[in-house]
Amino acid sequence: CDAPGHSHSNTDFTAGWHRFKFPGAPYATIPTTPPLEKYRQADMQSCGTYGVSWMDGTLPVIGDPPKDVTIYFAWVHLPKWQTRDAKVVACAEDGQTMFLYELPTTPCTGAYCALKTVN
């Protein structure tokens, strides 16, 4: 848990601007719809966490200012179990669109999760 005042299960995640990418897939985004309930169970098979992140709404386009968004953490039957305020901005890189997220620390049982995107 990386929230202030907690010392167990520290992941060393720090609040600030972050980019998500995977080996061989440099462009990834936090999903804009909640995961199916079968993927947010206590077995932690989605993103290795109990609370799976997603954001409601649309992603910005290149040239837009950073957009205020709410990151939700879905768990079991609760698609909006916990929330965090964040920002997202679209940037150009090698003719592709990448997204940067300004993220606070996560809830102790949640993690920021991303999906590969196709540009």
Side-chain angles (χ1 to χ4, degrees), residues 1-4 11 13 53 73 82 84 103-112:
C1 176
D2 297 300
T11 66
F13 179 86
S53 66
F73 294 88
Q82 293 201 17
R84 293 291 187 270
L103 302 169
T105 56
T106 61
C108 291
T109 53
Y112 294 112

Side-chain angles (χ1 to χ4, degrees), residues 10-88:
N10 190 299
T11 66
D12 293 327
F13 179 86
T14 56
W17 288 96
H18 296 273
R19 174 186 177 178
F20 295 95
K21 59 184 178 175
F22 298 97
Y27 306 102
T29 60
I30 292 176
T32 54
T33 57
L36 297 174
E37 191 170 333
K38 68 181 182 179
Y39 297 122
R40 46 182 153 113
Q41 299 302 312
D43 60 8
M44 295 178 38
Q45 293 300 305
S46 292
C47 199
T49 186
Y50 292 112
V52 181
S53 66
W54 66 283
M55 57 176 260
D56 199 8
T58 59
L59 292 164
V61 297
I62 294 171
D64 286 351
K67 180 179 180 179
D68 292 322
V69 296
T70 300
I71 304 290
Y72 297 100
F73 294 88
W75 184 59
V76 194
H77 64 281
L78 303 170
K80 296 181 178 179
W81 170 59
Q82 293 201 17
T83 64
R84 293 291 187 270
D85 292 328
K87 291 184 184 293
V88 60

